[in-house]
């Protein structure tokens, strides 16, 4: 398990050899010492590495050693700013062990705990109160996090927060935007949470909204009214927006996103760079015409996969936007009954509307603007 780590550098090799194989008795002293029991020498290794590097990644450590009792010390001069600790396996007092790991890094700026089963509401409370320099936090798919923990982050100064798949609702979102966090947040990912479209719109309107990146993938209750409020509130600050797979239930039976939502975005959010409308059935060819005639000169990527209301011939209108500004470089289409490889080949043929464009391999999603949603 640890062998690949030994190949990173001579320095790491020198540090890990005695820890992993020889396991010498290592004692850390501290005035208010507190012993921890852990099934791996992770804290021992962390203590030695954090003085040498500005980033640390600990992934999928499997317990293979006898319990080791150590007393960690806090190194106030620690320069680690980025910590990635996803899906770790810790069996003894997970809250305490994770808290002590975080205590070793008082200067943390970015933390990713994605999918970590040890993360609880207590963890988030500690981060909110003891990490004033923290700016980016990813707790996506942390099953033990609830509204209580997310609401505790209201006093932090986060600029980026990812809550994908977390059991959070409108209540905690309102607390976030009513606190200091509401004035500092720039990027917010709420994909597949319990947050509703109305809750998002209300939170943005009531808070001092400075959102630039907003991911509402899979959220319920998102319709034209909600998108219109978001567009007017975020205005020209909004750069990335995902409305893919949004659901209409809990609002009204005949609601949903239509061409009017696209019109509102084109009017109020001219600086959009990435727009994802995947599997939004109410979008038609009119939306493409609105985008083509809009002042959205910074639009780089448009995703309309699964939009069954857009016929293949309507995509030719996007050539106008490309001719005017020259920035549109990626159009993601497909998964529609009336669109197949033949239609796409015809569209990008020398005689087609999008002549000069190339069909992507489809093997992996392109990384736009040297960033991704996870950044």
């Amino acid at each position: 398990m640890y062998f690949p780590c030994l190949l990173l550098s001579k320095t790491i090799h020198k540090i890990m050899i005695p820890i992993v194989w020889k396991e010498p008795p290592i004692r850390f002293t501290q005035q208010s010492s507190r012993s921890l029991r852990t099934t791996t020498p992770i804290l021992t290794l962390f203590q030695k590495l954090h003085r040498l590097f500005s980033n640390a990644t600990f992934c999928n450590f499997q317990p293979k050693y006898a319990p080791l009792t150590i007393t960690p010390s806090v190194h106030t001069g620690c320069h680690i700013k980025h910590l990635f600790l996803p899906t770790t396996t810790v069996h003894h007092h997970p809250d305490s062990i994770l808290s002590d790991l975080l205590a070793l890094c008082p200067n943390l700026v970015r933390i990713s705990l994605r999918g970590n089963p040890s993360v609880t509401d207590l963890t988030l409370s500690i981060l909110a109160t003891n990490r004033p320099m923290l700016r980016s936090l990813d707790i996506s798919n942390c099953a033990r996090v609830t509204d209580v923990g997310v609401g505790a982050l209201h006093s932090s100064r986060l600029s980026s927060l990812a809550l994908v798949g977390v059991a959070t609702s409108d209540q905690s979102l309102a607390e976030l935007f009513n606190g200091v966090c509401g004035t500092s947040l720039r990027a917010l990912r709420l994909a597949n949470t319990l947050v509703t479209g109305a809750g998002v719109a209300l939170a943005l309107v009531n808070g001092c909204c400075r959102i630039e990146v907003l991911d509402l993938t899979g959220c319920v209750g998102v319709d034209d009214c909600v998108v219109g409020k978001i567009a007017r509130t975020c205005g020209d600050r909004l750069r990335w927006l995902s409305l893919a797979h949004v659901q209409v239930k809990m609002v009204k039976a005949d609601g949903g996103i239509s061409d009017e939502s696209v019109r509102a975005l084109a009017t109020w959010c001219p600086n959009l760079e990435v727009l994802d409308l995947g599997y939004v059935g109410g979008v038609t060819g009119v939306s493409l015409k609105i985008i083509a005639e809009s002042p959205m000169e910074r639009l780089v990527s448009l995703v309309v996969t699964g939009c069954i209301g857009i016929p293949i011939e309507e995509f030719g209108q996007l050539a106008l936007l490309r001719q005017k500004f020259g920035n549109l470089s990626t159009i993601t289409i497909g998964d529609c009954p009336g669109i197949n490889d033949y239609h796409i080949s015809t569209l990008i043929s020398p005689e087609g509307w999008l002549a000069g464009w190339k069909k992507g391999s489809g093997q992996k999603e392109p990384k736009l603007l040297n960033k991704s949603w996870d950044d």
Side-chain angles (χ1 to χ4, degrees):
M1 176 61 67
Y2 293 91
F3 179 74
C5 297
L6 300 178
L7 305 179
L8 292 177
S9 70
K10 292 181 179 179
T11 303
I12 294 181
H13 187 278
K14 182 178 179 181
I15 292 174
M16 290 191 67
I17 284 292
I19 294 176
V20 176
W21 274 277
K22 297 180 182 179
E23 293 187 15
I26 299 176
R27 304 294 178 186
F28 296 111
T29 59
Q30 186 180 357
Q31 290 182 353
S32 58
S33 62
R34 178 164 56 93
S35 294
L36 295 175
R37 293 181 60 81
T38 176
T39 53
T40 73
I42 180 174
L43 287 178
T44 305
L45 176 62
F46 193 86
Q47 284 273 356
K48 288 181 172 291
L49 290 181
H50 81 281
R51 295 181 176 89
L52 302 176
F53 303 99
S54 59
N55 301 291
T57 302
F58 297 97
C59 304
N60 297 321
F61 280 99
Q62 302 297 328
K64 294 185 178 180
Y65 303 96
L68 173 68
T69 301
I70 62 176
T71 304
S73 62
V74 178
H75 180 64
T76 56
C78 174
H79 297 296
I80 291 178
K81 295 184 178 180
H82 307 277
L83 177 64
F84 303 91
L85 197 67
T87 60
T88 54
T89 305
V90 183
H91 294 290
H92 297 282
H93 310 298
D95 280 336
S96 301
I97 291 177
L98 186 57
S99 299
D100 279 295
L101 279 175
L102 297 176
L104 293 173
C105 309
N107 299 317
L108 280 173
V109 175
R110 179 182 182 186
I111 301 178
S112 178
L113 301 170
R114 185 184 310 172
N116 193 317
S118 302
V119 178
T120 65
D121 294 336
L122 176 61
T123 308
L124 301 187
S125 179
I126 293 173
L127 288 176
T129 54
N130 299 326
R131 289 293 170 269
M133 297 180 63
L134 186 61
R135 294 296 178 266
S136 177
L137 178 62
D138 186 351
I139 51 173
S140 300
N141 300 313
C142 291
R144 300 173 65 188
V145 173
T146 67
D147 275 338
V148 176
V150 176
L153 296 173
H154 74 279
S155 60
S156 64
R157 295 187 178 275
L158 292 170
S159 59
S160 176
L161 177 60
L163 299 172
V164 178
V166 174
T168 186
S169 65
D170 297 343
Q171 177 183 352
S172 58
L173 190 65
E175 292 182 29
L176 277 178
F177 279 90
N178 286 335
V180 178
C181 192
T183 63
S184 61
L185 267 180
R186 299 293 186 274
L188 181 60
R189 298 195 62 189
L190 297 170
N192 303 318
T193 62
L194 302 178
V195 172
T196 67
V200 174
L202 183 62
L204 295 179
V205 171
N206 292 340
C208 184
C209 177
R210 298 181 181 180
I211 291 293
E212 299 175 7
V213 176
L214 184 60
D215 182 6
L216 298 179
T217 302
C219 288
V220 299
V222 180
D223 61 0
D224 287 338
C225 180
V226 168
V227 176
K229 290 180 180 178
I230 292 174
R232 288 190 295 271
T233 304
C234 296
D236 57 6
R237 292 181 296 272
L238 193 61
R239 298 183 299 108
W240 289 44
L241 177 63
S242 175
L243 299 173
H245 296 278
V246 293
Q247 304 173 46
V248 190
K249 62 181 181 179
M250 296 177 62
V251 183
K252 53 185 179 181
D254 59 343
I257 293 179
S258 69
D259 298 325
E260 291 305 311
S261 292
V262 177
R263 191 184 305 277
L265 292 172
T267 302
W268 298 97
C269 308
N271 293 327
L272 269 176
E273 299 170 1
V274 177
L275 178 59
D276 189 345
L277 298 171
Y279 297 92
V280 177
V283 173
T284 69
V286 176
S287 292
L288 298 189
K289 183 178 181 181
I290 293 172
I291 293 174
E293 297 175 351
S294 72
M296 300 170 72
E297 59 182 65
R298 298 187 180 183
L299 189 65
V300 175
S301 174
L302 176 64
V303 180
V304 286
T305 306
C307 294
I308 59 178
I310 304 179
I312 187 66
E313 59 270 13
E314 295 293 339
F315 286 95
Q317 300 187 68
L318 296 177
L320 176 62
L321 187 67
R322 172 74 178 181
Q323 292 171 0
K324 285 196 301 183
F325 305 117
N327 290 324
L328 184 62
S329 59
T330 303
I331 305 173
T332 306
I333 62 179
D335 201 13
C336 293
I339 299 178
N340 53 38
D341 288 342
Y342 171 77
H343 293 114
I344 296 175
S345 299
T346 303
L347 191 66
I348 62 178
S349 66
E351 296 80 21
W353 284 101
L354 298 179
W357 288 59
K358 295 189 300 182
K359 181 181 177 182
S361 62
Q363 295 180 354
K364 61 181 181 179
E365 183 179 348
K367 197 169 186 179
L368 305 167
L369 310 176
N370 296 319
K371 296 181 180 179
S372 69
W373 283 107
D374 293 332
D375 293 332

